[in-house]
Amino acid sequence: MSVSLLAQNLHGSEIIKIAGEINELKRQGQNIANLTIGDFDSNIYPIPTPLKEKIIDAYNHNQTNYPAADGMLDLRQSVSGFLKRSLGLDYAPNQILISGGSRPLIYSIFLAVVNPGEKVVFPAPSWNNNHYSDLLNADAVIIPTAPENNFMPTADDIRPHLKGAALLALCSPLNPTGTMFSKKDLEEICDLVIAENKSRAVGEKPLYLLYDQIYSQLTFGEHKHYDPVTLRPELKDYTIFVDGGSKCFAATGVRVGWGFGPELVIENMKAIVGHMGAWSPKPEQMAMAKFLTDEADVNSYLDDLKGKIQASLTALHEGFQEMKASGLNVDSIEPMGAIYLTLKIDYSGKTTPDGKVLKDSADINFYLIKDAGAAFVPFSAFGTGDEVNWFRASVGATPLHEIEALIPRVKAALSKLK
């Protein structure tokens, strides 16, 4: 038997391989602090109580048939108000599409604006753009980024690659780094997109900008979220946003995402999502519609969630900075947004106590899983090379006391390397 060329050429998930290693060690009774999954432990971070009550009420009132293809109007109206209130973005309900989380939105954007063989430009590390490009047989142009700019792409990085591209895919706060665009850097990138579209002939397909801001509500300290349309209103005709309640309300399993952008693109995305059947469940939609209108409940929950997430990120960051100060070859970038911390653990070429040479970031990671009971995700899982010794640490599924406890274990394990 054989399968399609597409199926044969898809790359497996490195995160799934790491999860397999963790699960096997847990089965053997080992305690592993698992900072690999971009999710929340719902016992540590339950969804907002009012949202839960509204979901139960929707089921009790038998709201269990098919939802509208583009999402329930009540929810699209609520999302419209929420965007205006929280981000100053003005989108009508017919410019908004609801789906089962953000993944169908991202995939449907690719399908709606990219033809096979056309160029898709995105930075590395970034989440899943390489896989969506593979699914479309698109020409993926992967832009390396640098720790000096917090692994965010700059206009100079992007400029050489935009000519003739169909899509530029960006994310801020960024999965996997938790870092964000500065206002200046995003403005300069926006100006590149505007210039490229002005250079195209009348009737030529424009360059679209996919802007994933699913973590926009989770920012810390003085760090501020920026978006292309607020900075450059003329980009409204070319920018397609990915957003939703999955991360800001710790509601990854509730499956309510919303995309918004030019009406023509949204209309075509609606047809694609409909053919995939990737709708958000109707009870969850009806509940989210009501929840978003209660500004006090929304703000109260966000304030609490952000405080807890920031405490965990700060504890991990400070722990790695202490290790760095002690002479270990590690580093971290201060928490800015999302649920992620960027860690440097640069121990390629070192030898373990049992004589194994750590060749690359994957070897370093598996060593720490076994010897320190701490699991991260190498940036190689997000499109960089194996030689890049930077890692994503996700704090949403691990309690603060476990994060604090893993620091001395990591320090001891790294100190054994020769």
Side-chain angles (χ1 to χ4, degrees):
M1 287 183 64
S2 185
V3 295
S4 71
L5 289 173
L6 171 64
Q8 291 176 44
N9 292 324
L10 279 178
H11 302 289
S13 167
E14 189 170 343
I15 299 175
I16 290 176
K17 287 191 288 185
I18 296 168
E21 181 80 14
I22 294 167
N23 290 336
E24 175 59 25
L25 291 172
K26 283 187 171 182
R27 190 186 65 79
Q28 297 172 13
Q30 294 193 35
N31 179 34
I32 311 292
N34 186 359
L35 278 71
T36 66
I37 187 168
D39 196 4
F40 299 88
D41 182 327
S42 54
N43 291 308
I44 304 172
Y45 300 104
I47 65 172
T49 299
L51 176 59
K52 182 194 297 186
E53 291 170 348
K54 289 172 172 60
I55 293 171
I56 294 168
D57 185 65
Y59 277 100
N60 285 336
H61 284 85
N62 299 317
Q63 297 279 4
T64 52
N65 56 329
Y66 283 133
D70 51 356
M72 301 303 295
L73 178 58
D74 285 358
L75 177 54
R76 287 183 287 118
Q77 290 172 332
S78 292
V79 168
S80 177
F82 178 68
L83 294 173
K84 183 70 173 176
R85 189 171 70 241
S86 62
L87 297 170
L89 290 167
D90 190 7
Y91 284 83
N94 64 348
Q95 296 173 296
I96 296 169
L97 172 65
I98 307 301
S99 80
S102 64
R103 287 177 193 245
L105 294 168
I106 299 172
Y107 188 31
S108 66
I109 292 169
F110 272 72
L111 288 167
V113 304
V114 181
N115 293 314
E118 287 187 327
K119 193 192 305 185
V120 177
V121 181
F122 56 89
S126 66
W127 182 83
N128 252 30
N129 291 306
N130 53 338
H131 298 299
Y132 291 124
S133 296
D134 287 345
L135 285 167
L136 264 73
N137 197 25
D139 176 15
V141 178
I142 303 174
I143 300 172
T145 57
E148 292 77 22
N149 201 53
N150 299 324
F151 291 102
M152 300 299 291
T154 67
D156 287 341
D157 296 329
I158 293 170
R159 182 177 289 106
H161 308 289
L162 285 191
K163 185 57 63 179
L167 184 67
L168 171 63
L170 301 175
C171 176
S172 183
L174 177 62
N175 180 4
T177 63
T179 57
M180 301 166 60
F181 280 119
S182 69
K183 182 173 182 284
K184 175 178 177 292
D185 282 353
L186 187 55
E187 284 176 332
E188 291 176 353
I189 293 171
C190 289
D191 290 340
L192 286 183
V193 176
I194 292 168
E196 172 61 21
N197 279 330
K198 285 181 177 179
S199 76
R200 298 194 178 186
V202 175
E204 185 178 358
K205 189 153 70 80
L207 168 65
Y208 285 102
L209 172 58
L210 185 163
Y211 200 70
D212 181 349
Q213 57 172 28
I214 193 74
Y215 293 101
S216 62
Q217 302 296 322
L218 298 181
T219 61
F220 309 115
E222 296 180 356
H223 296 287
K224 177 177 170 55
H225 172 73
Y226 296 99
D227 73 84
V229 172
T230 299
L231 296 180
R232 296 290 186 269
E234 63 193 286
L235 280 177
K236 192 170 186 180
D237 290 339
Y238 309 111
T239 303
I240 312 149
F241 288 88
V242 175
D243 208 332
S246 299
K247 305 298 184 178
C248 60
F249 303 127
T252 53
V254 175
R255 310 312 299 153
V256 182
W258 47 82
F260 50 100
E263 186 177 352
L264 175 64
V265 177
I266 293 296
E267 187 69 20
N268 283 278
M269 288 169 59
K270 177 178 77 172
I272 293 166
V273 168
H275 285 303
M276 291 191 294
W279 301 303
S280 174
K282 186 178 177 183
E284 281 73 3
Q285 289 196 44
M286 301 305 293
M288 187 68 77
K290 293 179 180 178
F291 176 69
L292 287 178
T293 62
D294 194 322
E295 190 172 357
D297 280 345
V298 167
N299 290 341
S300 174
Y301 184 83
L302 283 173
D303 288 345
D304 182 65
L305 178 65
K306 286 169 65 173
K308 292 175 180 175
I309 293 294
Q310 185 174 8
S312 289
L313 290 169
T314 299
L316 188 60
H317 174 57
E318 290 178 350
F320 266 74
Q321 290 303 306
E322 289 169 6
M323 282 192 277
K324 177 183 177 182
S326 74
L328 294 176
N329 198 8
V330 301
D331 206 348
S332 56
I333 297 175
E334 69 163 314
M336 297 181 189
I339 57 175
Y340 308 118
L341 193 72
T342 293
L343 305 175
K344 177 184 178 183
I345 309 172
D346 194 2
Y347 279 82
S348 290
K350 298 296 184 180
T351 303
T352 67
D354 61 1
K356 180 182 177 182
V357 176
L358 302 178
K359 300 186 298 295
D360 53 28
S361 58
D363 282 351
I364 295 168
N365 198 47
F366 284 120
Y367 170 70
L368 290 177
I369 291 172
K370 292 176 180 178
D371 204 270
F376 310 114
V377 182
F379 276 8
S380 59
F382 304 103
T384 72
D386 291 334
E387 74 283 356
V388 176
N389 288 328
W390 289 82
F391 299 77
R392 182 185 85 172
S394 176
V395 302
T398 306
L400 176 58
H401 68 87
E402 287 190 20
I403 291 170
E404 293 170 335
L406 73 80
I407 298 297
R409 299 201 305 267
V410 170
K411 183 176 183 179
L414 295 177
S415 297
K416 294 178 188 175
L417 298 172
K418 303 297 183 185

